[in-house]
Amino acid sequence: MASHRRPKQPSRARVTVLTTAAAAAVALSSQAANAAPSEKPSKDEVKAKVDKLYEDAEQATEKYNGAKEKQEKLQKEISTIQDNVARGQDELNAMRDSIGLAAAAQYRTGTIDSSVQLFLSSNPDDYLDKASTMDQLSAQQVEALKKIQEKQRELAQERSEASAKLKDLASTRTELGKKKKEVQGKLAEAQKLLNTLTAKEKAALAAEQERSSRASERDVLGSSTAASGRAGAAYAWAQSQLGKPYVYGATGLSSYDCSGLTSRAYAAAGVQIPRTSEAQAQIGTRIYSESQLQVGDLVFFFNDLHHVGLYAGNGQIIHAPRTGTVVRYESMSTIGGPFMFGVRV
């Protein structure tokens, strides 16, 4: 006989779960249908991002250069102090030996005086205080012992100074490593972006740079401003480096970073200037008006002064721009950061 039992209805909780799941599925499918497919960044977008990464890398490079320069300076200072300590210790040993020889001679004759006995005691620092009241102490012995004590204090101070500088050196090396890692990270990120471009897009970017450089060169050659003196000599030397690649931390002769080029150019002109752009900005006479710049003046860009070049006349500079480029002429208007001031060395 057929069953007349009614079919079992789903529970209210199960209905709710099914309804929620169905709604979620509909929402997801709707979003997927409406979402635009991800687009590959354009050549200009990639260039903008790469330029910013290169700017950040150059900023870190100048910090790296500063830490490297400090490290080299500390190493020289520590070496000098250590040499001084070694010589001082030899002098101290000779002084002590002379007192010892005097004591030995007196011992052989059986006439060791109380002054020498005190010096050879376990607490020689207390010697002069006690010996000063003794009639047996000769003026020559007093002078010798004073020199020994003075040399001991001098050596202790130099050892303390060397210890402090060694700690500073360790800290500087750590900072140097961090900045180097930061620079390399920015450059790797930039290269990764560049690798997304097609060969045709890369060629187009290179052509744009070449056209810009040629235009700047024409403007320089068309300038009537002549270079003279040591600024002229520095500028002429920088011109001889045109076409050499930018490499962070480099000072030539095969490659340069921005401040490496300017410091080397002035060194070739017989003028020693600091290594980093920030330090170079603190020398000479500042020129705030672009119209007052002369060929060979140092020119600084960006608020933190992390980029420097040499003024080439007619609104152009010669500089080492960034990774992937070479020493070249460029318009001040296309550097990517504001002109801050010039410096006449």
Side-chain angles (χ1 to χ4, degrees), residues 88-108:
Q89 188 63 54
D90 288 343
E91 292 173 12
L92 180 59
N93 292 340
M95 291 177 185
R96 285 172 171 166
D97 288 346
S98 67
I99 293 292
L101 290 172
Q106 290 180 8
Y107 176 78
R108 285 194 297 272

Side-chain angles (χ1 to χ4, degrees), residues 14-15 26 138 155 167 236 278 293:
R14 189 163 181 265
V15 170
V26 171
S138 71
L155 288 175
K167 289 181 181 177
E278 185 177 354
L293 290 173

Side-chain angles (χ1 to χ4, degrees), residues 64-127:
Y64 167 85
N65 290 338
K68 187 176 181 181
E69 186 177 41
K70 183 179 180 181
Q71 173 185 265
E72 292 170 352
K73 181 181 178 183
L74 283 170
Q75 286 174 328
K76 289 179 182 177
E77 290 175 350
I78 290 169
S79 179
T80 299
I81 292 172
Q82 289 174 335
D83 288 344
N84 290 341
V85 168
R87 284 195 298 270
Q89 188 63 54
D90 288 343
E91 292 173 12
L92 180 59
N93 292 340
M95 291 177 185
R96 285 172 171 166
D97 288 346
S98 67
I99 293 292
L101 290 172
Q106 290 180 8
Y107 176 78
R108 285 194 297 272
T109 61
T111 58
I112 296 182
D113 64 33
S114 56
S115 65
V116 176
Q117 292 177 31
L118 281 171
F119 173 72
L120 297 176
S121 70
S122 60
N123 188 14
D125 288 339
D126 194 40
Y127 174 78

